[in-house]
Amino acid sequence: MFRHALLILIALGLAPSAAAADLRVPEDHKTIQAAINASRAGDTVTVAAGTYAERVRLTPGVALRSRGDDAKGVDGLKRAEATVIDGGKEGKLPGVVMAEGSTLDGFTVTNVGAYDEATWKKHFDSKGEELGDEEGSVRAEGTTPAVSIHGVSCTVTHCLVHHNGDVGIGILGKEKVTTAPLIADNVVFRNMGGGIGIAEGAEPVVRGNTCRENLRAGIGCRKADPIVIGNLCSGNVRAGIGCREGAKPVLRGNTCSKNRRAGIGIRMEGTAPVVEANTCDENEMAGIGCRDGADPVIRKNVCRKNKLAGIGCRDGAKPLIVGNECKDNEAAGIGLQGRADAVIRKNTCGGNKLVAIGVTEGSQAVITDNELSRTGGQPPLVAVKDGSTATITNNRITGGGVAAVLVQGKATISGNTFTGGGKGQGNAVWIWEGSTATVSDNAFDGYRTPVSATKATVSITDNAIHNFQGTAIIVKDGRKPPHVTGNTARSDDPQAKVADVQGTAGLVEGNTVVTGEKK
């Protein structure tokens, strides 16, 4: 009767399963690998504090955990600091090989391959300029990750992965296999490759990790689509977070600071990350940099005190840049060069030492609804140079150096509000020789000369001008007959003029000066 009932249960998929076991190291098994080999799916191998001179391979569905609670230590959890998998430097196997459904929780993984302080220091000093493009990359042939995840979904959490000879945690996808591990709350540092490397179609969630002082990026992804959320990446020899070769990650809520190159670096055609709500500060290059045809969405980030631009784009990059705060950077707030093509909308750029927005070297930009300001300094707030093209509309522009907007290229400037620091402020819009500009429907207040153009092609219409000095609009030797119409200027100077057009005659009419009253 019992046998008959059991057969029915098996047929219905309801047969009782063996209880999950807890295999203890070193009490039950002297080595971690021996305990893993004796385990089955659903079992847990728990490991006492100590140093274990081995490299281990997990089996499907098995959890490997250090013993103890989640008390904090110096770098991570105390139990992770006290429970060490030591790879012994020599050998080609990873320190830990993950399996489908397995868990690695609370270990130090170190000494997998040789960490070389002198080599690390050399590349740190050169900002990685002498580092080979594949050296230490997770996908490079012969690379041995300290923790290897290849074509499996698993969990790696609360580990310390440091002073290893290649990448710290390496995640590689596999064709026709979903590779979606969870990598959470680890501390990954001083590895001779990237901190966490992701490639070949992997789709991990990488959350809450600290990646610092690694030889490549703190977190790097190539041909992969991870979700990278809430990580701290600092002091890495290359970018804090890097993505390239068609990667399409979501990078959200990360802090990237004091990295030797960009905070977040994006490159290559087809690379299209969503870069949102990150903080990138005090990096040695741009806060966020994109190049080589990449087309990221960059929105709601804070980029401050970086050595180059807050957001820098070059070499054919095609970013959408929306709602970012770029302040107090050593170069531009947002800079385009090398035929970049960007939409720049609803950003705040203040206190940057060079320009708020620079469009140079044949680049193109739509610049709309931004807050742009700087107190003091000679550079303009917006520079359109080197034959570049920009549409500048509905921005609020405060201050400026030699000009608020400088044009040496082509520009449409309309619907903006310009606020200077008084009649000594200089030009609001300065249009250089050989340039073409349309300046219409703007409000100018507090510039000595609101619009100045020399040997350029210009249309200057329907602007409202306050608090200027002498003549509001000066056009000299236009390359084509200028249009200067419908502008209104208010001044308390009875000698004030709206427009002085010298040289080639054009259409100059309907301009009105209202004197004898202040704004």
Side-chain angles (χ1 to χ4, degrees), residues 75-77 80-81 107-110 158-162 186-187 189:
D75 289 311
L77 300 186
E81 294 173 350
F107 289 84
T108 291
V109 184
T110 191
H158 297 131
C159 290
L160 304 175
V161 184
H162 66 87
N186 304 284
V187 180
F189 64 99

Side-chain angles (χ1 to χ4, degrees), residues 294-352:
D295 55 341
V297 174
I298 302 173
R299 64 190 181 205
K300 298 182 181 180
N301 302 282
V302 176
C303 299
R304 292 182 175 175
K305 297 183 179 180
N306 298 286
K307 292 295 179 67
L308 296 180
I311 299 173
C313 309
R314 64 187 180 96
D315 300 336
K318 302 179 285 292
L320 171 63
I321 303 173
V322 180
N324 303 280
E325 180 182 300
C326 299
K327 290 188 174 181
D328 302 324
N329 297 287
E330 294 292 318
I334 300 171
L336 309 182
Q337 63 185 105
R339 299 188 179 278
D341 186 351
V343 173
I344 302 172
R345 180 165 57 90
K346 292 187 176 180
N347 302 281
T348 300
C349 300
N352 300 286

Side-chain angles (χ1 to χ4, degrees), residues 198 202-206 219-228 247-251:
I198 310 156
E203 302 174 309
V205 174
V206 180
I219 300 171
C221 53
R222 299 183 176 197
K223 294 184 181 178
D225 305 328
I227 297 173
V228 181
K248 296 178 175 64
V250 174
L251 311 178

Side-chain angles (χ1 to χ4, degrees), residues 17-356:
S17 59
D22 182 0
L23 293 80
R24 299 174 301 164
V25 180
E27 294 88 346
D28 301 328
H29 300 273
K30 295 301 182 185
T31 68
I32 296 171
Q33 190 63 58
I36 293 169
N37 292 345
S39 67
R40 295 182 295 183
D43 290 348
T44 300
V45 174
T46 60
V47 183
T51 298
Y52 297 85
E54 54 182 309
R55 302 187 185 195
V56 301
R57 178 180 292 271
L58 280 156
T59 54
V62 171
L64 178 62
R65 291 191 172 94
S66 60
R67 281 187 225 153
D69 58 21
D70 286 353
K72 300 293 185 183
V74 176
D75 289 311
L77 300 186
K78 284 185 177 180
R79 63 183 173 94
E81 294 173 350
T83 313
V84 181
I85 297 173
D86 187 327
K89 288 189 181 178
E90 301 300 327
K92 296 183 179 179
L93 295 176
V96 180
V97 178
M98 301 300 294
E100 182 68 29
S102 64
T103 296
L104 179 69
D105 179 3
F107 289 84
T108 291
V109 184
T110 191
N111 215 13
V112 179
Y115 172 80
D116 187 324
E117 177 70 23
T119 300
W120 185 91
K121 181 70 163 56
K122 167 189 158 185
H123 290 306
F124 180 87
D125 290 343
S126 71
K127 300 181 184 178
E129 292 291 345
E130 300 175 30
L131 190 64
D133 194 52
E134 297 295 319
E135 187 176 344
S137 165
V138 64
R139 62 182 292 213
E141 185 176 349
T143 295
T144 303
V147 178
S148 176
I149 302 167
H150 190 185
V152 298
S153 297
C154 58
T155 298
V156 178
T157 187
H158 297 131
C159 290
L160 304 175
V161 184
H162 66 87
H163 290 87
N164 295 290
D166 278 314
V167 62
I169 300 174
I171 308 163
L172 291 175
K174 190 179 290 186
E175 190 174 356
K176 297 182 180 179
V177 173
T178 298
T179 304
L182 171 63
I183 313 299
D185 302 314
N186 304 284
V187 180
V188 187
F189 64 99
R190 282 293 179 119
N191 297 289
M192 297 297 289
I196 299 173
I198 310 156
E200 307 301 346
E203 302 174 309
V205 174
V206 180
R207 185 187 69 211
N209 304 281
T210 297
C211 300
R212 56 181 170 84
E213 300 174 1
N214 296 287
L215 193 62
R216 295 186 71 87
I219 300 171
C221 53
R222 299 183 176 197
K223 294 184 181 178
D225 305 328
I227 297 173
V228 181
I229 300 176
N231 302 279
L232 171 61
C233 299
S234 66
N236 296 287
V237 171
R238 286 203 166 178
I241 300 174
C243 52
R244 54 187 286 182
E245 295 176 30
K248 296 178 175 64
V250 174
L251 311 178
R252 181 178 294 126
N254 303 285
T255 298
C256 299
S257 65
K258 299 182 180 178
N259 296 286
R260 297 292 285 164
R261 301 184 81 157
I264 297 175
I266 307 154
R267 57 187 293 196
M268 299 187 181
E269 287 196 21
T271 303
V274 174
V275 183
E276 182 176 66
N278 303 282
T279 298
C280 299
D281 57 0
E282 298 185 71
N283 297 286
E284 294 291 324
M285 293 187 180
I288 300 172
C290 62
R291 54 185 280 198
D292 302 334
D295 55 341
V297 174
I298 302 173
R299 64 190 181 205
K300 298 182 181 180
N301 302 282
V302 176
C303 299
R304 292 182 175 175
K305 297 183 179 180
N306 298 286
K307 292 295 179 67
L308 296 180
I311 299 173
C313 309
R314 64 187 180 96
D315 300 336
K318 302 179 285 292
L320 171 63
I321 303 173
V322 180
N324 303 280
E325 180 182 300
C326 299
K327 290 188 174 181
D328 302 324
N329 297 287
E330 294 292 318
I334 300 171
L336 309 182
Q337 63 185 105
R339 299 188 179 278
D341 186 351
V343 173
I344 302 172
R345 180 165 57 90
K346 292 187 176 180
N347 302 281
T348 300
C349 300
N352 300 286
K353 287 195 176 179
L354 293 181
V355 296

